[in-house]
Amino acid sequence: MLSSLRAHRPRLAAGVVVVLTMLVGLVLLLESKLARASYDIPFAWRPALPAGDIRLIYLDDVSHRELRQVIGGRWDRTLHARLIDRLTAAGARLIVFDVIFAGASANPAADAALAAAMKRSGRVVIGGFYHHDQPDWEEMPDEPFRSAAVGWGNTDFMLDPDGGLRRSFPDVKNLPGQPDVPWLPRRAAQLAAHAAAPLHAGGWFNFAGPPGTFSSVSYYRALEPDGVPPNFFRDKIVFVGAQSPAGFTGENKDTYRTPYSDWGWPASPGVDFLATATLDTMRNIWLSPLSTTSEIILNLLLALGLSLGLLRLSPLWAALAAAAGALVVAGLACLLAWYAHIWIDWLVIIVEIVVALFCSVVWNSIQVYVEKRLVEESLAAHLSPAIVKRLVADPALRQVGGVKQEVSIIFTDIANFSRVSEMMHPDDLVNLLNRYFEAALNCIHRTDGTVVDLIGDAIFAIWNAPVGQTDHRERACRAAIELQSQLVEFESTHRNLLLRTRVGLHTGVACVGNIGSAIRFDYTAIGESINLASRLEGLNKHIGSNILASREIQRAVENELATRLIGHFKFKGFGRAVEIHELIGGRDQIEPTRVWREKFADALQDFRGGKFEEAAVKFKAVHGLRQNNEPDMATASGLTAVDGPSRFYLEKIEEFRVKPPPSDWVGEVELKEK
């Protein structure tokens, strides 16, 4: 079950990330602030649109002063009559007042003059005020202005929570006893375009540009004969309004935020929005959002793709892909808004990208941490802590595959372990092996060897891989000698058991690397050299020795350790005879063992020369030298009192007496068993 869960872990992680990203996207689709920002930002990156059809006349503070109008009161309506006549004479296409002419003024003559000017012009549009949540008009233009104007409309807006205006306003319809009245920009666009029926286009404002995009002039300058350039008003739609929403001039009403307000631009008066809406309606360039269903489907699909895609990438590539994806999304959103007049809640997609990236980084970081821990745990059983720290930082180590590498190899085995195991309770046997391996592995780790495997009671270790070691031969030999010494101390605490360890040493080329998988680290070594080291370990059993080493590894320590040539052996399955040496002890054993080692060397030379009788005498002498001159050596080294290799050759001489070697024999010993 655990293995199945481990195998499905990437799918489970992907599912969790997909669901999380989708939930974040769905929640944010309901969040209006992000939607408003998605709508606003593309305007800041888009060049201004042509706005030459519109002119603005502001009832501003300077006009109050120049024309001596009381702030907070109605303007003299004769000024409006003069302005209408002036604009009509200048060839204005349409004159739109963002001023509500409700109620009679204190000067009836001024009211009559204004109505007459409207009638003469035949191109004046005025406004009223109807709020969508009220049962009746709050302010409606009075007669005779309503009849004198060519049309009138509602000047209300859909105000957003942040004080901005972004959407068109519906027409006023189905009021009891009242005619249907369109929104003022829609009515103005109909009249300016000479449309037979009202234009019902609407949506979200497509702003031509930041405040100041429309050409404008102060009210008092518009009344002066030379106040504006020639043809400034010709064939233009002229909007007249205060720098505040429709109402009596001088009322302290707020202006409104635009998409440019967050970029340092000031808020705009309501008349600017009426002009923008009129231009959008005439050009049919209102922005349209995607439907709620389309938005949900789009975000769910993107959440799915983003999550699955980014999870497959490393943190660096995921970050680069996320950044590129965010730029693409922003770019497409802008292009859709600018040219297709469709705006999408693209910042939600950006947040989904960030969420998917965060999950990808977290997941991959967890994966890296888990892999690192797996490597550390795997290596901890193989290597010394110092080597482990150097290797866990190398990601290439976790790659599956091997390389050809010269290594020094050690194979160990406990002599007669099967008999020992038969005498012990399984729990006691396990405890004994744990203590034995702790003592044995410490010797390998102290020389920075790599424990490749523990096979039953056997140990397989190498040097010079995965970290190179120029003195790997010496390290392996020192580990073997130290292992013998350590086990002597180990056996002293378990007097009822003799765990004599046989060791085989060899240096050669092997294939080393992770032969397992990327998720299960299994660093090992394979090849003929490994097999030879194993055969050397097994040969100890036949000749009664403890540590046997090939010439390839022994030559590195022949002047540092007490060693002796054992002979040339031809193993089954190997085409050549191998020169084999025995490691006796450290430098301190060179002199104490010199006499019998030299005697053994003489005996071996006679044996290889076919002088079997002389050799037999000398091999027996080695027995005596070791028993009489060094009685403590046998016990200290774990050897029997009789010299094992000498006994082996004495037995081999007996065989040759019965069946002499062939005529081309050169002194090697051929082994019939592996």
Side-chain angles (χ1 to χ4, degrees), residues 364-542:
N364 282 285
S365 298
I366 292 174
Q367 288 284 84
V368 169
Y369 174 78
V370 170
E371 289 181 12
K372 182 178 177 182
R373 290 296 302 165
L374 287 174
V375 172
E376 287 180 343
E377 291 175 4
S378 297
L379 291 179
H382 296 274
L383 303 169
S384 65
I387 299 297
V388 171
K389 289 181 180 179
R390 292 172 60 185
L391 293 180
V392 291
D394 184 9
L397 182 66
R398 297 190 288 273
Q399 300 300 317
V400 177
V403 296
K404 293 289 186 179
Q405 174 74 37
E406 183 182 68
V407 292
S408 290
I409 310 133
I410 188 171
F411 261 96
T412 77
D413 193 20
I414 300 176
N416 301 317
F417 180 72
S418 59
R419 292 171 55 189
V420 173
S421 63
E422 291 173 357
M423 298 186 297
M424 299 186 67
H425 187 277
D427 291 341
D428 296 332
L429 180 63
V430 170
N431 291 332
L432 176 68
L433 275 179
N434 286 337
R435 292 192 294 271
Y436 167 80
F437 280 132
E438 182 178 1
L441 296 183
N442 282 338
C443 300
I444 296 173
H445 287 166
R446 276 196 289 269
T447 55
D448 291 330
T450 301
V451 178
V452 175
D453 205 356
L454 302 178
I455 310 167
D457 60 312
I459 300 173
F460 169 27
I462 60 174
W463 283 258
N464 203 37
V467 175
Q469 297 160 325
T470 56
D471 58 343
H472 56 93
R473 295 178 180 85
E474 294 88 336
R475 289 173 182 265
C477 293
R478 288 203 310 271
I481 296 298
E482 185 177 349
L483 178 61
Q484 288 295 322
S485 175
Q486 184 74 29
L487 292 181
V488 168
E489 297 179 9
F490 179 83
E491 290 166 4
S492 67
T493 63
H494 300 80
R495 298 182 183 277
N496 59 329
L497 292 172
L498 180 62
L499 297 182
R500 187 166 68 87
T501 300
R502 299 186 293 249
V503 178
L505 290 165
H506 177 55
T507 292
V509 175
C511 179
V512 295
N514 184 6
I515 315 299
S517 67
I519 61 174
R520 185 185 185 279
F521 185 86
D522 189 11
Y523 195 82
T524 189
I526 56 177
E528 186 179 85
S529 296
I530 309 302
N531 295 334
L532 179 55
S534 177
R535 298 290 185 85
L536 291 174
E537 179 274 316
L539 182 59
N540 283 288
K541 179 179 180 180
H542 295 288

Side-chain angles (χ1 to χ4, degrees), residues 179 346 550:
W346 58 277
S550 65

Side-chain angles (χ1 to χ4, degrees), residues 334-356:
C334 290
L335 293 176
L336 285 173
W338 299 345
Y339 300 108
H341 305 143
I342 296 173
W343 76 270
I344 61 175
D345 209 343
W346 58 277
L347 285 179
V348 172
I349 301 175
I350 299 296
V351 173
E352 287 182 341
I353 292 176
V354 173
V355 171

